[in-house]
């Protein structure tokens, strides 16, 4: 038992330490400083171990902290009428049932389990029980600490707060024991993290009970909740014994991990298939063009699903929203003033909207996975004049795809401005109509440019460039933070348009100068 | 025509993979490049194809005594895993390729003639490439690489995924193609190398070295190659 305990922890830790070292190795600049033999450097290992232990504690505690804080305390604050203590218990009780159904801790298919039980042939029962016990312990401690802190904050008696971790553990054990029983009796395989339809219905009902009932004015009395919790704890005793005495853990895991490993082994295949699926099998698709225009037209037509079809859907939704807003002006004239004010001060929000509806990333991923991944292995395709020619064609195409919804939104916003009372400065209309398409052009240029400058994938379609991911993350963070600027539409709009024009010029220059060298497969 | 490699070196971090290689490949021959796992065969190809930068040294073409740079169009590189653009049909891929290379290809033939050459069945010609079998993808890749008639044809383990019939067809094809070009064929399979190649070159200790056949019979020759390869890798 003791040995299994030590080994399973050391295995999990090694796995995590190596993952940490691997991630450090992916950071640009830093990776140049690190030796190739990184995994055997003692100092680095110690460092990674510290992070690993730290992470273990944080993930256990922080998870529970955020869970209770967000799902119960903050959300609970929205219900002003309900008594705070009863509401806290009510919500946590129903959410815990969902958690128990959703995640028993026992059947999570993870790699370390596969390594331990199958590659290293450790005793499946011992290993499972130890890991399960440890996961339950972490949960228990987290619930005890934050349940008590927030519970007392809400005015719940201390004893009830202390009862909670026992209740959650009992519930989880009962669900796990039930699954084991089902497996033993009927051979029904256990699936964690994948709920069937009845499971989802149940969860929706429980969510409704957790959040809907209090809104309707019903909150469980404390006495009922306590009785329910105590009964659950009592009922969990046989479940506990069942879990301890169950013999076929190896079999169960064989089954669970098989499903999971098929995914790992076939991960690349699945990824491939996912991209293959984007290719339309419509045999009527053809093109009358020649050369690169021919290649491009076939690409666009065979990827309708992720390009035009999806952009048309987005456009339709935008159109409906705008028409809906116009209708609302007619029905509720009092919202006009507020809307007018919003339109003249909240243009920055459009950045995140345009970020969200842009097809640029989908386009570049499909370009690589279904086209460049293979063609870049041919010398003819890598000639600088061809790379630039195709860049122009692709840029034109993705701009067209993105401009459709952008034009609708731009004109729509101008219409909304006009019908919500108009503005003294007619330039505002022009700015609205121009700045949204300008943003759209910016995103189109941006994604295609960084794709051409950083081409991040290798032959095996693995992402090899951390810089590429960092640029993507920065793009997201910047877009998210622009929301915070409260600026007159006219100022923000003109700035945006100027920025987009400048960006396009700089990007084109960079692509023309560097893409012939950078646009190739990573080795 | 000769491909001359001079003092070529390439290392990854501290590991020196190619060490100061000096070698001359001549046209009209198929070179069998043999080396153990990790000996640097693919690295050498990637260097010649300019997919990775070399640390030092150079390589160039010597055409009738005139020295010139190797351009991308000089090289056809057939990879071990076949890669073809999945969203095109075989015919479309070929048409696209012929379209953009019409200036550099002598005597463009009708598309079906090319398919005939590779014995790709008429039924398969208008299927999407994503639905091709590996063997057929390999044929397409080979076809594209030979239509352009590159001066240097690099083949990285090209026949391993093919069934015996297709492999035999490919071998025959390579033999007919070897005139006027340098063919370098990397493989792990010694019998294949002995059967197809005119010259056996070992990549060991980061350097290229011809195994002279002299008057040995094939058994002796094999023993000699094995002995040479065994020395490698246990430094």
């Amino acid at each position: 038992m003791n040995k299994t305990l030590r080994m399973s922890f050391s295995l999990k830790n090694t796995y995590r330490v190596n993952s940490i070292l691997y991630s450090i190795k992916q950071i640009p600049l830093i990776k140049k400083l690190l030796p190739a033999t990184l995994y055997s450097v003692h100092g680095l290992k110690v460092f990674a171990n510290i992070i690993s232990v730290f992470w273990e504690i944080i993930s256990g505690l922080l998870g529970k902290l955020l869970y209770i804080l967000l799902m119960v305390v903050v959300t609970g604050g929205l219900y002003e009428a309900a008594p705070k203590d009863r509401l806290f218990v009510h919500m946590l009780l129903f959410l815990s049932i969902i958690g128990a159904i959703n995640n028993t801790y026992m059947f999570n298919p993870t790699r370390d389990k596969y390594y331990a039980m199958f590659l290293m042939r450790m005793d499946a029962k011992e290993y499972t029980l130890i890991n399960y016990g440890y996961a339950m312990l972490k949960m228990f401690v987290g619930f005890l600490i934050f349940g008590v802190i927030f519970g007392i904050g809400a005015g719940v008696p201390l004893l009830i707060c202390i009862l909670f971790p026992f209740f959650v553990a009992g519930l989880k054990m009962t669900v796990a024991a039930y699954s084991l029983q089902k497996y033993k009796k009927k051979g029904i395989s256990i699936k964690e993290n994948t709920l069937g339809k009845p499971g989802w219905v149940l969860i929706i009902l429980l969510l409704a009970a957790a959040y809907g009932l209090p809104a309707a004015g019903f909150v469980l009395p404390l006495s009922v909740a306590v009785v329910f919790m105590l009964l659950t704890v009592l009922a969990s005793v046989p479940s506990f014994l069942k879990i301890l005495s169950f013999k076929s853990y190896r079999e169960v895991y064989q089954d669970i991990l098989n499903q999971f490993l098929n995914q790992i082994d076939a991960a690349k295949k699945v990824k491939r298939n996912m991209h293959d699926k984007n290719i339309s099998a419509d045999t009527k698709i053809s093109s009358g063009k020649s050369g690169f225009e021919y290649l491009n037209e076939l690409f666009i037509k065979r990827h309708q699903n992720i390009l035009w079809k999806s952009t048309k859907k987005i456009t339709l939704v935008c159109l409906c929203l705008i028409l809906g807003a116009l209708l609302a002006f007619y029905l509720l004239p009092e919202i006009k003033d507020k809307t007018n004010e919003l339109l003249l001060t909240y243009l920055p929000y459009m950045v995140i909207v345009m970020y969200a509806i842009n097809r640029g990333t989908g386009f570049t991923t499909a370009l690589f996975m279904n086209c460049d991944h293979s063609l870049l292995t041919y010398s003819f395709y890598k000639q600088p004049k061809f790379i630039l020619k195709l860049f122009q064609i692709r840029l034109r195409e993705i701009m067209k795809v993105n401009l459709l919804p952008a034009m609708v939104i731009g004109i729509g916003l101008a219409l909304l401005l006009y019908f919500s009372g108009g503005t003294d400065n007619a330039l505002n209309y022009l700015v609205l109509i121009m700045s949204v398409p300008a943003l759209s052009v910016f995103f189109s240029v941006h994604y295609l440019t960084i794709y051409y400058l950083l081409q991040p994938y290798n032959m095996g379609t693995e992402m090899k460039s951390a810089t590429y991911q960092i640029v993507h993350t920065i793009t997201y963070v910047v877009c998210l933070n622009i929301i915070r600027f409260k600026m007159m539409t006219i100022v923000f709009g003109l700035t945006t348009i100027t920025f987009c024009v400048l960006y396009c010029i700089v990007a084109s220059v960079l692509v023309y100068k560097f893409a012939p060298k950078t646009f190739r497969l990573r080795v | 025509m000769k491909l001359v490699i001079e003092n070529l070196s390439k290392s990854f971090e501290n590991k020196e993979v190619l060490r100061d290689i000096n070698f001359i490949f001549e046209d009209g021959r198929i070179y069998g490049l043999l080396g153990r796992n990790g000996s640097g065969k693919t690295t050498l190809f990637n260097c010649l194809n300019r997919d990775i930068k070399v640390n030092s040294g150079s390589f160039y073409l010597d055409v009738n005594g005139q020295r010139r740079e190797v351009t991308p169009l000089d090289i056809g590189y057939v990879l071990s895993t076949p890669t073809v653009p999945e969203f095109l049909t075989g015919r479309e891929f070929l048409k696209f390729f012929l379209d953009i290379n019409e200036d550099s290809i002598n005597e463009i033939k009708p598309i079906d003639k090319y398919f005939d050459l590779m014995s790709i069945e008429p039924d398969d010609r208008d299927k999407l490439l994503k639905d091709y079998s590996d063997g057929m993808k390999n044929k397409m890749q080979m076809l594209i690489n030979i239509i352009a008639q590159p001066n240097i044809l690099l083949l990285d383990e090209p026949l391993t995924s093919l069934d015996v019939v297709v492999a035999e067809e490919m071998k025959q094809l390579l033999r007919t193609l070897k005139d006027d070009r340098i063919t370098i064929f990397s493989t792990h399979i010694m019998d294949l190398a002995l059967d197809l190649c005119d010259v056996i070159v070992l990549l060991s200790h980061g350097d290229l070295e011809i195994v002279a056949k002299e008057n040995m019979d094939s058994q002796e020759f094999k023993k000699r190659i094995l002995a040479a390869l065994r020395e490698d890798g246990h430094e």
Side-chain angles (χ1 to χ4, degrees):
Chain A
M1 200 77 180
N2 207 350
K3 198 178 164 204
T4 315
L5 184 77
R6 256 188 307 119
M7 293 224 347
S8 74
F9 277 104
S10 106
L11 186 67
K12 199 168 165 186
N13 195 49
T14 309
Y15 181 57
R16 195 177 284 160
V17 164
N18 286 346
S19 310
I20 293 170
L21 292 177
Y22 178 80
S23 345
I24 296 176
K25 184 82 181 149
Q26 302 307 305
I27 305 170
L29 298 179
I30 292 182
K31 72 179 170 196
K32 293 222 170 91
L33 302 172
L34 293 172
T37 50
L38 153 94
Y39 296 96
S40 58
V41 177
H42 185 68
L44 277 172
K45 277 225 137 123
V46 173
F47 173 68
N49 265 303
I50 294 173
I51 296 187
S52 168
V53 171
F54 204 60
W55 173 247
E56 185 69 23
I57 298 170
I58 294 276
S59 67
L61 293 183
L62 198 69
K64 285 287 159 298
L65 168 72
L66 287 176
Y67 173 67
I68 299 183
L69 187 69
L70 294 178
M71 302 290 282
V72 182
V73 179
V74 174
T75 329
L78 300 174
Y79 300 85
E80 281 161 9
K84 274 213 155 65
D85 52 343
R86 278 168 59 193
L87 187 67
F88 182 86
V89 174
H90 174 103
M91 284 180 163
L92 200 54
L93 189 136
F94 282 108
L95 291 176
S96 298
I97 303 178
I98 297 179
I101 297 172
N102 231 345
N103 186 1
T104 57
Y105 293 147
M106 188 178 269
F107 309 114
N108 266 339
T110 52
R111 264 176 213 241
D112 51 332
K113 284 181 182 161
Y114 168 73
Y115 295 144
M117 282 186 267
F118 295 96
L119 288 184
M120 315 255 185
R121 298 168 165 273
M122 283 165 76
D123 185 291
K125 183 172 173 182
E126 268 185 35
Y127 179 81
T128 308
L129 290 180
I130 283 171
N131 268 284
Y132 182 61
Y134 177 67
M136 292 291 263
L137 187 72
K138 268 206 309 191
M139 179 280 296
F140 193 91
V141 173
F143 252 104
L144 192 65
I145 296 177
F146 296 108
V148 167
I149 293 177
F150 290 118
I152 288 185
V156 181
L158 179 65
L159 275 179
I160 298 184
C161 297
I162 293 177
L163 183 58
F164 249 109
F166 288 95
F167 163 67
V168 177
L171 260 180
K172 283 191 191 284
M173 283 197 289
T174 306
V175 174
Y178 172 70
S179 298
L180 292 177
Q181 184 69 18
K182 239 182 16 180
Y183 181 81
K184 199 174 163 189
K185 284 269 156 68
K186 298 183 191 161
I188 298 172
S189 61
I190 299 166
K191 282 184 188 155
E192 181 93 9
N193 306 338
T194 43
L195 292 163
K197 258 190 195 151
W200 279 111
V201 171
L202 189 61
I203 283 186
I204 290 168
L205 285 177
L206 287 164
L207 271 177
Y211 295 121
L213 288 181
F218 176 82
V219 184
L220 280 182
L222 279 186
S223 53
V224 174
V226 168
V227 170
F228 180 72
M229 290 201 283
L230 282 175
L231 284 178
T232 309
V233 173
L234 277 182
S236 70
V237 174
S239 308
F240 177 69
L241 295 176
K242 170 91 213 166
I243 289 170
L244 280 189
S245 65
F246 187 76
K247 289 200 177 62
S248 321
Y249 281 110
R250 194 184 151 86
E251 239 176 86
V252 169
Y253 267 106
Q254 185 107 44
D255 197 37
I256 295 175
L257 290 171
N258 259 343
Q259 305 162 13
F260 173 65
L261 284 176
N262 281 337
Q263 288 165 15
I264 298 187
D265 287 343
K268 267 188 196 149
K269 216 174 157 194
V270 167
K271 211 164 111 189
R272 246 299 19 107
N273 287 345
M274 198 178 79
H275 294 290
D276 273 358
K277 247 193 237 157
N278 289 332
I279 301 173
S280 160
D282 187 351
T283 47
K284 285 192 226 74
I285 292 174
S286 65
S287 163
K289 301 190 165 146
S290 78
F292 283 101
E293 291 289 356
Y294 178 73
L295 181 77
N296 171 65
E297 186 169 67
L298 289 172
F299 185 87
I300 301 287
K301 283 186 177 170
R302 294 228 166 94
H303 289 83
Q304 285 175 15
N305 276 338
I306 53 163
L307 297 171
W308 279 107
K309 272 194 188 156
S310 104
T311 208
K312 279 179 188 161
K313 271 186 214 153
I314 292 170
T315 310
L316 194 68
V317 171
C318 295
L319 204 63
C320 291
L321 286 176
I322 288 160
L323 291 176
L326 287 174
L327 185 71
F329 286 170
Y330 177 72
L331 295 173
L332 302 162
E334 62 271 21
I335 63 169
K336 280 187 185 173
D337 279 353
K338 190 73 190 160
T339 314
N340 191 282
E341 188 193 324
L342 285 178
L343 283 168
L344 290 175
T345 42
Y346 278 91
L347 191 60
Y349 272 89
M350 273 299 130
V351 175
I352 199 80
V353 173
M354 296 316 291
Y355 171 84
I357 66 172
N358 192 277
R359 308 302 310 149
T361 40
F363 182 59
T364 49
T365 316
L367 275 179
F368 182 78
M369 294 299 168
N370 292 344
C371 182
D372 297 341
H373 158 240
S374 47
L375 284 176
L376 276 175
T377 61
Y378 297 90
S379 322
F380 75 90
Y381 194 71
K382 288 188 279 191
Q383 297 174 73
K385 59 175 181 190
F386 287 163
I387 288 179
L388 295 176
K389 175 145 182 65
L390 202 53
F391 176 78
Q392 289 172 344
I393 295 176
R394 287 172 168 179
L395 186 58
R396 183 191 73 208
E397 288 307 317
I398 188 62
M399 289 205 304
K400 281 200 288 195
V401 168
N402 284 324
L403 267 176
L404 179 68
M407 293 303 285
V408 169
I409 294 175
I411 295 172
L413 288 181
L415 281 176
L416 289 183
L417 182 64
Y418 179 75
F419 285 106
S420 67
T423 162
D424 302 333
N425 190 346
L427 196 57
N428 271 318
Y429 295 115
L430 195 66
V431 164
L432 279 179
I433 294 175
M434 298 277 293
S435 62
V436 179
L439 280 170
S440 145
V441 169
F442 161 74
F443 283 116
S444 305
V445 173
H446 178 62
Y447 287 123
L448 200 63
T449 302
I450 55 174
Y451 173 56
Y452 265 77
L453 291 181
L454 295 172
Q455 203 304 98
Y457 303 97
N458 71 358
M459 262 286 300
T461 68
E462 289 163 303
M463 174 75 74
K464 281 286 178 186
S465 163
T467 318
Y468 185 77
Q469 283 158 310
I470 291 171
V471 171
H472 270 253
T473 314
I474 291 178
T475 311
Y476 171 70
V477 172
V478 168
C479 292
L480 205 60
N481 279 289
I482 284 180
I483 293 181
R484 288 202 266 171
F485 288 105
K486 240 184 162 180
M487 220 188 260
M488 294 301 292
T489 285
I490 199 158
V491 179
F492 184 78
L494 288 175
T495 318
T496 307
I497 295 168
T498 319
F499 170 77
C500 293
V501 171
L502 286 178
Y503 186 91
C504 291
I505 295 170
V506 172
S508 313
V509 171
L510 288 178
V511 167
Y512 272 77
K513 208 164 154 65
F514 296 111
K517 286 199 191 86
T518 56
F519 190 59
R520 45 185 55 228
L521 291 171
R522 297 246 168 180
V523 177
Chain B
M1 181 176 56
K2 290 174 190 151
L3 169 65
V4 185
I5 299 178
E6 282 180 352
N7 308 103
L8 185 81
S9 293
K10 173 71 195 173
S11 44
F12 294 102
E13 299 194 12
N14 295 327
K15 191 169 190 285
E16 207 172 16
V17 181
L18 305 178
R19 273 180 213 172
D20 196 26
I21 292 181
N22 287 286
F23 202 86
I24 298 175
F25 291 100
E26 293 178 19
D27 61 351
R29 291 179 177 184
I30 301 179
Y31 289 84
L33 182 63
L34 287 174
R36 303 191 62 175
N37 288 328
S39 61
K41 298 186 293 285
T42 306
T43 303
L44 177 64
F45 280 0
N46 284 337
C47 286
L48 294 176
N49 200 33
R50 293 189 205 280
D51 284 330
I52 48 179
K53 285 203 180 92
V54 299
N55 293 98
S56 61
S58 63
F59 53 90
Y60 58 86
L61 275 177
D62 178 328
V63 187
N64 305 327
Q66 297 282 320
R67 176 180 168 151
R68 73 167 177 80
E69 277 277 300
V70 178
T71 66
L73 287 183
D74 284 320
I75 295 184
Y77 186 4
V78 180
L79 298 130
S80 49
T81 37
T83 51
V84 287
E86 287 83 2
F87 72 101
L88 295 177
T89 65
R91 187 183 301 281
E92 286 164 353
F93 184 26
L94 211 50
K95 171 179 161 16
F96 163 65
F97 177 76
L98 295 172
D99 272 354
I100 62 168
N101 289 293
E102 56 189 3
D103 301 336
S104 54
I105 301 172
N106 319 324
E107 300 171 50
I108 292 184
K109 292 181 240 175
I111 287 181
D112 282 304
K113 281 271 180 288
Y114 291 109
F115 283 123
D116 292 342
L117 176 71
M118 302 305 280
S119 32
I120 293 175
E121 298 299 316
D123 284 354
D124 294 327
R125 299 174 185 178
D126 294 296
K127 275 190 196 159
L128 286 180
L129 290 169
K130 73 172 174 135
D131 299 324
Y132 273 36
S133 67
D134 273 3
M136 292 213 308
K137 285 181 184 172
N138 219 320
K139 282 184 175 181
M140 273 312 288
Q141 194 192 8
M142 189 86 95
L143 176 59
I144 293 289
N145 272 298
I146 61 178
I147 294 176
Q149 308 208 322
N151 289 321
I152 304 165
L153 192 54
L154 304 176
L155 302 134
D156 191 1
E157 297 270 356
L159 305 183
T160 28
S161 67
L162 302 182
D163 68 47
V164 280
V165 179
V166 181
E168 205 48 49
E169 286 171 8
M170 288 298 123
K171 268 196 261 178
Q172 208 44 51
L173 185 73
L174 288 174
R175 287 191 190 105
T176 59
L177 286 170
K178 72 179 186 179
D179 294 338
D180 305 322
R181 79 173 39 86
I182 298 159
T183 309
I184 310 176
F185 183 102
S186 98
T187 182
H188 283 305
I189 304 167
M190 187 153 43
D191 288 318
L192 182 60
L194 296 182
D195 178 25
L196 179 66
C197 305
D198 305 301
V199 185
I200 300 293
V201 183
L202 297 188
L203 179 53
S204 70
H205 303 283
D207 201 359
L208 291 176
E209 164 193 6
I210 290 183
V211 189
K213 192 169 179 195
E214 292 159 3
N215 296 320
M216 280 184 276
D217 66 26
S218 64
Q219 279 308 319
E220 275 176 287
F221 191 46
K222 269 190 201 175
K223 273 186 194 155
R224 181 165 186 172
I225 295 171
L226 270 177
L229 286 172
R230 280 208 180 100
E231 283 173 22
D232 193 20
H234 299 285
E235 296 151 63

